[in-house]
Amino acid sequence: MSKTIMYIAGFFLSFLILFSLPNNTQASTVPLSQGTTPEIATKNAATLQNAINQASTSGKKQVTLPAGTFYINGKIILKSHIVLQGASSSPAATKLTMNNAPMTTDTTATSQESTTDITLQNFTLQYNPNISKYNYLTNPTNFYKDNLLNIGQITPSESNTGYNSTHKKALKTNIKITNMILNANQVGLAVVNIAKADNVTINQTQILNSGLQNGISMTYTSNIKITNNTVKNIGRAGIVQYYGNTKSLISGNKVIDWMQRYGSYHYDAVKKSGQTLDSMQDAAIDSYGPANQTTTITNNQINLSTASGKVNPNNPLIAKKWHLKTVPNYTRYAAFRASGAQYMLYQGNTVNIDSPSTFTFFSTNMRKSNTLTRPKGITVIGNRFTSRNIDYPFRIFAGISDPYTTNGITISGNTIQILGTINNYYRTLIEVHEVPITVNGKPSYYTTDLLSVTNNKIQTKNISTLVTGASASKKDTLKLLFLNNNTLNGKTYQISRNYIGTTLKAPSYKNNALQSTIIWNADETKTKYIRVTNLSGKAITSEIALTKTKNPTITFKTKLTRGSLIKIQISEVKGNYTNASTVFFKVP
């Protein structure tokens, strides 16, 4: 009798547990069919779309794909409140092969639905490699023009107008992509496109083989986290912020072999337009701008998989198609670009580009497209850079200072190794340029306010100067250069030249005396004026006139409060500090 009671109790307990489980544990596997015929691919698309629609509207949430390879005709439209996942933790076990359309969050090319709470995990999404694709020599038309995965989109009219803050409203929110293989098989444009989105995570995912465009593209996004992914064999930039992006984290990624296809396309487009041929050098991690702000780029690895010394693959193709006697150095590699960017941190990254097609480790420039964004608050610190030959290791245009921070553009604590030659005219590590503009029919120039170069360890036998000001106007292109504790092959190296207003070594404060040293550039003759103020601009010391002598040391006898922040201002006009160059100094 007691055994019978126990069996009955166990039956009812199991019954209660079964019906008390959450709805999403009852999800069944989507009945997709294997096979390559159009009928099967069309049926698979309808079956999968129905499963997604049902899960979104019923609260079932989980959509599980079976193991195997499944072909899909037409686009798959993602809906809110779903988890679309593969059959197991191995993303290679389930493959969705898109025959003629992407996976996307939007129904049409111009619709912009609000979508939230989507997770994609544990499966492969790929384009059918047999789709007609761009081939520079045999098929120079890119027949299929879409991204593999669209999380939001910018309409053609919005794209044509460039940056406009009214377009920034986030329509896609809370999206997670993890443990995926996203393989475009060199078809179409980008692998992943993110637009008008907030709180998107891409983690531990392989981003592979884009068509003519990027691995990951972002426009009008915020709070995007791209972490611990592999981005490889990319047509253009590896990871790019176009414009209007804020609060991004790009960390722990491997970016390998970018700029593999787009350079030849760009060459043809420029040549056929009649414009002047220059070069193409989008970066492994790129900011196109304008209005990209507050991005942290840390602990990424950037390198090529090709053998040592191999040119970019676009260049010999260009020479072959256009019957050039020599291979042009047209498509070149850049590691980081920060155009139209402000408040950017590049830290702990490792870059190794062993190619004669290497253009730069890092460049920053202004960008204007309905709004002007000049570089500001950009820090490149604690990175390791290696190349064989390189044109411009670091290049800076039109940077401005923030009155509430202690730097303008900072390059500090990096290890820089150049095994071969530095190919720019001055053989300089850091070149600072002006940007010409026309105001009321007269030429004017955007210059850089402040550049801090400290504690860098440089290894090369082919360098003539640490920092050079390059100027078409024959005026200072950099107002203030702050130098301290840089070494070349283990020895102190603090050489700057040409169009730099003032070079200042690190201040020190001891026994109520504030001291610093002015390094006079070889071509500098103007008298300088220097003073110390508090943060509000009230003078703490009298003005001192500086005339050119050998490494003059300036001493201010003044009592300063430990831990306080002061300003050291340098002007070329006596008594007038309206346009002064300023270094902030925290009293030790």
Side-chain angles (χ1 to χ4, degrees), residues 147 189-192 207 210-217 231 234-240 242 282-283:
N147 311 298
L189 301 178
V191 181
V192 183
I207 312 292
S210 71
L212 277 181
Q213 288 292 327
N214 313 297
I216 302 174
S217 302
V231 182
I234 302 302
R236 196 172 181 181
I239 301 170
V240 61
Y242 272 118
D282 286 6

Side-chain angles (χ1 to χ4, degrees), residues 24 49 108 112 124 143 153 281 317 340 351 353 360 384 584:
N24 60 12
Q49 191 64 64
T108 71
Q112 293 182 320
T124 295
F143 289 98
Q153 62 182 354
Q281 61 268 340
L317 293 177
V351 174
I353 311 176
T360 186
R384 181 175 291 275
F584 288 75

Side-chain angles (χ1 to χ4, degrees), residues 477-497:
T477 188
L478 172 61
K479 291 182 180 179
L480 178 60
L481 171 62
F482 183 50
L483 284 180
N484 191 51
N485 201 33
N486 300 286
T487 62
L488 173 63
N489 302 325
K491 297 180 180 179
T492 300
Y493 190 70
Q494 307 280 66
I495 297 175
S496 58
R497 64 180 294 179

Side-chain angles (χ1 to χ4, degrees), residues 509 512-515 529-534 537-545 554-560 566-569 577:
Y509 182 71
N512 293 335
L514 178 67
Q515 288 189 329
Y529 301 91
I530 186 169
R531 70 175 187 177
V532 179
T533 77
N534 61 19
K538 182 179 179 180
I540 297 174
T541 68
S542 300
E543 180 181 70
I544 294 178
I554 309 102
T555 301
F556 293 100
K557 289 288 187 179
T558 182
K559 188 173 183 178
L560 300 172
I566 61 170
K567 296 194 292 187
I568 302 171
Q569 294 187 312
Y577 291 85

Side-chain angles (χ1 to χ4, degrees), residues 163 168 218-221 240-248 285-295 297 336-344 346 362-378 395-400 409 435:
Y163 174 78
K168 191 168 171 57
M218 295 177 277
T219 309
Y220 292 125
T221 70
V240 61
Q241 295 178 302
Y242 272 118
Y243 44 77
N245 300 284
T246 58
K247 300 179 183 177
S248 300
I285 300 179
D286 201 301
S287 170
Y288 185 84
N292 289 328
Q293 293 194 337
T294 321
T295 298
I297 299 170
F336 301 114
R337 182 169 68 166
S339 293
Q342 298 180 336
Y343 309 113
M344 310 283 280
Y346 299 81
F362 174 85
S363 68
T364 185
N365 201 342
M366 56 182 273
R367 183 73 77 184
K368 189 178 190 311
S369 178
N370 291 333
T371 185
L372 174 64
T373 305
R374 294 178 63 185
K376 176 171 66 175
I378 295 177
R395 224 176 182 206
I396 296 167
F397 294 78
I400 55 178
I409 311 295
V435 176

Side-chain angles (χ1 to χ4, degrees), residues 1 66 104 278 317 330 333 342 375 443 532 550 553:
M1 180 68 179
T104 181
D278 185 10
L317 293 177
Y330 185 80
Y333 294 112
Q342 298 180 336
V532 179
K550 186 177 181 180
T553 298

